Every structure is written in structure tokens, then in C-alpha cells.
Amino acid sequence: MINLNIKNQILNKLTSIEKEFDVEILLAVESGSRAWGFESLDSDYDVRFIYKHPVNWYLNILPKRDVIEIPIVDLMDYNGWDLKKAFFLMNKSNPVLFEWLRSPIVYKKNQEFSNLFFNISNEYFSELSTIYHYLHMAKKNYREFLKKDMVKAKKYFYVLRPLLACMWVENKRSSPPMEFEILINQFLDNKSVKSEIDNLLFKKRSGLELGEIPRIDILNSFIENKIEYFDQLAINYDSKTKPDAEKMNFAFQSILNIKQSYGA
């Protein structure tokens, strides 16, 4: 969990962002390793948020910048998407957006927005797009970091988590949770594989430096089998028909008219 001093620091920064950019932050959450549950002592705080401008901001012929990016200072990383961009990404069933909506660490939330946005997002969830996203992530990290004799230990998490997310989508037919341990406990019944992962988790959470280690063959074998399996599975997946775009338009317009009301 995030300690109270850090949370207050984050909330103060979010307030200053609202004033500086003349926006209203509708949802702010933790993303990355702290939300996944395998942070180390020096992990960044990856604060991600969805915001809206005053209505007149959207009445322009030419598009305006739809992201807010704050330079990283002292482990604090702030990055946000405009509401319209968030809806655009929802329409594409963007898995990163769906992760934000399921983060276990919430800093700020407009409940009315959250209910409306979350409910409609479920209609736009695509199993195929999500599996392709996580499979690509797993394959890229595996290919680049885990095929040598000596490998970067922490990269195992960046391969295993997306593969477990694919397993969730296949079995639950819904967007996977962010927490790594939920995914492990749900699907990992190979005791030898789980033991190796638990050992890496213990070291990472203890703040021990996870540098290069000899390749863990049992994990590599598990990874290769899952990559091959989901490569074949994705080929035979049927794409889903999207809802009428008017649903999204109505939701967007409704959210623009929501008055400020927050809770964590």
C-alpha cells in the first residue's frame, strides 16, 4: 500500500496539475509495478489519470494536445489522458486503459464518472485485441532479455505477467486484474514454476538488487510453451462487433456535464 505522506504528496500534485492545465481530474490511479504487486524499494510511483477540460475546449476545429506528461522527479511519474482520448482508446479496447480502470491503488475518483465509464467500457472489451497486446509484450521482452545464458532477472515479471493475463482472458473472458499474485493464484498450478516465481518475488520486494542471473530453464520452458499456445489460439479467435458509437457519444457528453464529486 501507499503510505499516507506519499499519498498526500500525490494528491497535492494532482491539484496543482488541475490548476496549471485548467482541467478536472476524474480518475487517478497507480500503474506499473506498485499496482502489479512486485515493486522494489526504489520503484517509481506511476500515477496515471483521466481528465476533462471545460466544455468549450472541445469546440475547436483543429485538435489540441490530449495528454499531460510531467517530467519524472524523485520517483514521481505523472501522465494523463484527456477524456476524449480515453474514449477513443476504449473504442480500440486498449488494454492499458482497461488496466487503469482496475488498479487496486486509487488516488482520486469521481464516482459518477467511474460508474458510467467503467460500465460502458465492458461493452468495448475485445478478447482478441487484449490477447494480442499481452502476447506481443511477452514475446518482445522474452526475445530481448531472457534467451541468453545470463538474463535480467526482473524481466521475468514482464514476460510472465502478460502471459498470465492472456490466460485470464481465455478463461474468464474479461479484462484481467492488475495484481500479479491474483493471476498466479488463479492459474499457476505447476509447483516448480510457482516456487521459482515466489523466490524472485521475495527478492524483489525485499529490495534486493535483481541483476543478471543464470537463465531459469523451468521458467523459460513455461514461457515458450505459453507463447506457442497463445500464438495458435489468437489465430482462431473471432473478433467482436462493437456497440453503436452513439452509446459512447452519449456517455462522453454526460461526463462533460458531471459536477465535481470525489472519493478514493
Side-chain angles (χ1 to χ4, degrees):
M1 297 298 295
I2 308 298
N3 74 55
L4 186 58
N5 287 337
I6 293 294
K7 183 174 183 179
N8 287 336
Q9 179 183 340
I10 290 170
L11 289 173
N12 288 336
K13 181 63 177 179
L14 292 173
T15 298
S16 72
I17 289 172
E18 288 183 314
K19 292 177 180 177
E20 179 181 353
F21 293 92
D22 189 24
V23 298
E24 178 186 337
I25 292 175
L26 300 165
L27 178 69
V29 301
E30 182 69 28
S31 181
S33 62
R34 292 185 182 276
W36 298 336
F38 50 73
E39 75 277 7
S40 53
L41 296 178
D42 60 350
S43 292
D44 287 345
Y45 290 87
D46 298 303
V47 183
R48 300 294 179 259
F49 55 93
I50 298 171
Y51 61 89
K52 69 175 182 178
H53 288 275
V55 174
N56 286 345
W57 187 90
Y58 298 95
L59 305 178
N60 290 279
I61 300 299
L62 298 179
K64 294 186 176 184
R65 184 168 172 80
D66 57 5
V67 298
I68 293 175
E69 298 170 310
I70 308 297
I72 299 175
V73 177
D74 297 332
L75 303 182
M76 295 297 179
D77 181 5
Y78 296 86
N79 192 306
W81 290 337
D82 173 67
L83 176 63
K84 192 170 185 178
K85 179 181 180 70
F87 269 112
F88 177 77
L89 293 171
M90 180 196 294
N91 187 57
K92 297 175 66 177
S93 190
N94 180 279
V96 175
L97 174 66
F98 281 73
E99 284 192 0
W100 292 11
L101 299 179
R102 287 157 179 79
S103 175
I105 303 173
V106 178
Y107 296 116
K108 189 173 187 179
K109 178 168 67 175
N110 180 301
Q111 192 62 55
E112 189 176 353
F113 156 79
S114 180
N115 292 342
L116 203 163
F117 194 83
F118 187 89
N119 288 337
I120 194 173
S121 74
N122 290 327
E123 299 186 41
Y124 286 84
F125 171 71
S126 165
E127 296 173 31
L128 181 60
S129 296
T130 306
I131 285 178
Y132 269 127
H133 168 84
Y134 286 115
L135 182 59
H136 173 76
M137 185 187 304
K139 290 166 71 173
K140 182 176 184 295
N141 280 296
Y142 182 64
R143 182 177 62 249
E144 292 183 7
F145 300 108
L146 297 179
K147 299 191 76 173
K148 301 175 183 178
D149 292 334
M150 297 295 292
V151 299
K152 294 182 179 180
K154 70 177 182 179
K155 294 298 180 180
Y156 275 110
F157 297 113
Y158 295 89
V159 175
L160 290 165
R161 182 180 171 273
L163 289 176
L164 289 166
C166 287
M167 294 169 71
W168 179 282
V169 174
E170 179 193 11
N171 288 276
K172 301 289 188 178
R173 309 184 77 83
S174 64
S175 185
M178 293 190 73
E179 299 96 315
F180 187 57
E181 280 201 85
I182 291 179
L183 295 171
I184 291 174
N185 293 332
Q186 185 73 43
F187 298 113
L188 207 54
D189 53 10
N190 185 315
K191 292 183 179 179
S192 297
V193 171
K194 191 172 186 304
S195 177
E196 293 289 353
I197 296 173
D198 287 342
N199 184 45
L200 289 176
L201 272 175
F202 175 78
K203 291 179 179 178
K204 196 169 193 303
R205 288 169 174 167
S206 299
L208 299 175
E209 179 59 36
L210 289 183
E212 287 199 338
I213 62 171
R215 182 181 64 230
I216 304 174
D217 288 334
I218 190 171
L219 292 186
N220 282 52
S221 178
F222 173 82
I223 289 166
E224 289 175 2
N225 288 336
K226 290 301 178 185
I227 287 175
E228 182 179 356
Y229 173 78
F230 283 110
D231 263 334
Q232 292 301 312
L233 184 72
I235 293 173
N236 300 313
Y237 244 96
D238 293 328
S239 58
K240 175 183 175 182
T241 302
K242 294 178 183 177
D244 189 319
E246 281 307 306
K247 281 192 172 185
M248 189 173 288
N249 290 335
F250 178 78
F252 172 65
Q253 293 161 12
S254 298
I255 291 169
L256 285 182
N257 292 317
I258 291 175
K259 295 181 180 180
Q260 290 191 12
S261 175
Y262 297 108

